[in-house]
Structure formats: C-alpha cells, structure tokens
Amino acid sequence: MDKRILVPTDFSKNALNAVRYALDLYKKQNCEFYFLNIFRVDSYTTDTLIIPEPGSAPYEAAKTKSEESFSKLLDMLKLHHDNPKHTYHTISTYNFLSEAFKQTISKKDIDLVVMGTQGATGARGVIFGSNTVNAMEKIRECPVLAVPEDVRFSTPQEIVFPTDYKSAFKRRELSYLIEVAKMHDAAIRVLYVAKNPDLNDNQENNKQLLEDILESVDHSFHTLTEKDVSDGITSFVESRNSDMIAFINRKHFFFGNVFSKPLVKEIGYDATVPVLALH
C-alpha cells in the first residue's frame, strides 16, 4: 500500500528542504507525494472582500506562475531524486491555508503532512512559521512532521517521545511513530520532564501500557527533573544528538494549563530537529 504524503510548498529554500527530507525519509517506501502551493493574487489580500475569479487576468497569471514553479521543482527532483518508488502530483490552489489542507487531506486520503518551519522571510503571503505551528495544532486527521530549515536528512537513530503519563495511550495513536522507528531501525526514548519525578498510580499504569505498546521496537525510559518542560526536552535532545521529537498532540495535554505555554508552540518555533505531532 502506497503512503500518501502531502508537502505544502511556497518554493522557498526552507520548503524545498522539507521536500528533500520527506523524499529521503521514505526513500525505500512506495509513496505518492502531493505538493501543494497556495498561490496569492497580488492585487487582492484576504482582507479585501472581493475574491479574484478563475478566468480573471490576475488569477490566471498567479496560477500560471505557481505551475511554472512546480515544473522547475519537478525537473530538479527528476535530476536529484529520481526514485522509481515515488510518484509526484502537484496542486496549485487559491484558498485559505487551513481549508486547502482540509480538502487535500480528505480528497487524497493523506497519511502524513510534511512542512518546513520558516517561509521565505519577509515575503508577502508567506505560509510558514506560525502557520506550521497552527497546522500542527489544527490538523487532526493525520500526523504532521515539521522540518527546521537547517536540518539535513540523516537516517533517524533516536526519536525522543516526551510524555507526562497523565492519559492512557492508544495503539493507533502511536502506530505512526512505531512505523517510522521500524522503517529506520530507530530507538524511541520516552522522556518524562517534571519537578517531581515520582509517578502516581495512574501514571505508573499508563507507563506500563506504553511499555507494552512499544515492545516491538527498541525503547527506553528517561526522567529529567527540570521545571521547564520545553527546556528539558531541548537539553535532552541536544545532549544525546537525537534525530527527532515526537509527541501526541492532545488538546488537554498541550493546551491545558499543565504548561504556561503550549508545548507545540515552544518546540515548533524553536526546533533544532524535526518535530512529529501525532494525533
């Protein structure tokens, strides 16, 4: 069964880096890649109430520009990433980012979204940065992998999975993480960051459940006594040279008042390794 992967692009260097990362991560799998460009029409902004019509000169010019950029991208991929296991599709659309994501994910039955974390800086209509973080928060149908601009692909050997053990784990939530780990023989390092390292009975039970779910992959459990969760995760990742951070993006865990700021925002804006948000 082919994996279906959506990679939004604004044709910036950062977006191209995310494309390359996705192609390398899935080098050995049969995949269909859907590249999505949300084009903007110069004389219109989302604030103006008039929406440019297909067929109007500004709309068609912007669409043509998007399609030309895609043909350059595909030529380049043919040259540097010619993989018989991969098929490429392009989608040029004038739409709101969240709407374009929603439609494409459901129409194309997407398994994973891969995004860069910064856009072409200062460019108008740029769709990354805070948009990547929003996508990680809003997309609930499939996992989202955010790839920082300076990260070059190397085979993941260690994936850090931060958790507070406060809610029970479900196998299907973690199936994607296990799949990536198996694909690259990577180890999963479960990380608990808290001022008080002791677990209550409920947390112990959830930890045991996690142990059972991860039994088919190399994994280990770690505890850090640190008052700031995102600092704790960052220092753990840096000290071990880990390759990826994965977490379950549950509303009450990341958006409740467990933390002063949502963790996805803190890690998302300041990531030094790819971040995988599972749902």
Side-chain angles (χ1 to χ4, degrees):
M1 163 76 175
D2 288 5
K3 270 265 170 262
R4 301 161 81 86
I5 297 169
L6 173 62
V7 190
T9 178
D10 57 359
F11 307 111
S12 63
K13 233 168 67 182
N14 173 260
L16 178 61
N17 189 46
V19 170
R20 286 182 170 141
Y21 191 95
L23 298 183
D24 286 336
L25 188 67
Y26 282 90
K27 193 159 58 190
K28 295 177 179 161
Q29 317 296 115
N30 291 325
C31 291
E32 305 231 0
F33 286 93
Y34 290 86
F35 301 123
L36 170 70
N37 174 244
I38 296 155
F39 60 83
R40 294 279 166 260
V41 178
D42 283 347
S43 48
Y44 298 86
T45 66
T46 41
D47 305 330
T48 56
L49 295 174
I50 312 153
I51 290 171
E53 288 293 317
S56 69
Y59 181 97
E60 293 304 327
K63 187 170 186 231
T64 303
K65 195 174 159 194
S66 168
E67 287 165 352
E68 284 168 355
S69 299
F70 267 138
S71 96
K72 282 183 196 149
L73 174 67
L74 293 179
D75 286 347
M76 195 214 68
L77 295 182
K78 216 181 218 146
L79 206 62
H80 299 290
H81 286 271
D82 197 18
N83 186 337
K85 288 179 177 288
H86 293 172
T87 317
Y88 303 138
H89 309 271
T90 63
I91 302 166
S92 295
T93 181
Y94 179 87
N95 206 336
F96 291 106
L97 185 65
S98 55
E99 199 47 43
F101 276 167
K102 216 158 83 183
Q103 287 175 9
T104 313
I105 289 168
S106 87
K107 273 190 196 151
K108 305 296 182 193
D109 192 22
I110 296 296
D111 297 300
L112 170 72
V113 175
V114 180
M115 300 178 77
T117 51
Q118 268 333 122
T121 39
R124 280 189 45 216
V126 74
I127 64 163
F128 293 123
S130 60
N131 286 316
T132 309
V133 172
N134 286 340
M136 292 169 92
E137 290 179 359
K138 301 259 178 353
I139 294 172
R140 317 302 295 176
E141 300 80 4
C142 66
V144 178
L145 178 66
V147 182
E149 184 164 19
D150 303 326
V151 169
R152 296 293 166 265
F153 180 81
S154 62
T155 306
Q157 290 170 342
E158 183 168 283
I159 303 169
V160 176
F161 179 69
T163 177
D164 60 3
Y165 298 120
K166 282 185 179 162
S167 22
F169 298 97
K170 297 183 183 72
R171 279 176 199 279
R172 62 184 166 78
E173 291 175 320
L174 292 160
S175 61
Y176 195 81
L177 171 62
I178 292 168
E179 183 184 301
V180 171
K182 284 182 171 170
M183 213 160 64
H184 295 286
D185 283 331
I188 296 170
R189 306 298 177 210
V190 180
L191 176 64
Y192 177 55
V193 183
K195 277 182 284 210
N196 173 12
D198 300 328
L199 302 180
N200 61 30
D201 290 350
N202 182 41
Q203 287 174 306
E204 285 291 0
N205 291 338
N206 292 332
K207 183 179 178 180
Q208 187 52 55
L209 177 60
L210 185 58
E211 170 87 73
D212 296 343
I213 294 172
L214 296 178
E215 67 182 356
S216 61
V217 290
D218 181 5
H219 65 278
S220 56
F221 291 87
H222 304 263
T223 302
L224 268 188
T225 44
E226 169 98 49
K227 57 182 191 296
D228 186 87
V229 177
S230 62
D231 286 352
I233 295 168
T234 306
S235 62
F236 185 82
V237 166
E238 284 173 356
S239 68
R240 300 175 59 93
N241 235 346
S242 310
D243 305 289
M244 193 181 283
I245 296 169
F247 61 83
I248 296 176
N249 191 4
R250 286 208 185 95
K251 283 243 149 102
H252 66 270
F253 174 32
F254 285 93
F255 300 83
N257 34 22
V258 188
F259 306 124
S260 53
K261 287 190 223 114
L263 189 58
V264 68
K265 283 204 163 78
E266 295 212 1
I267 300 178
Y269 285 129
D270 200 23
T272 50
V273 297
V275 176
L276 177 66
L278 304 160
H279 298 294

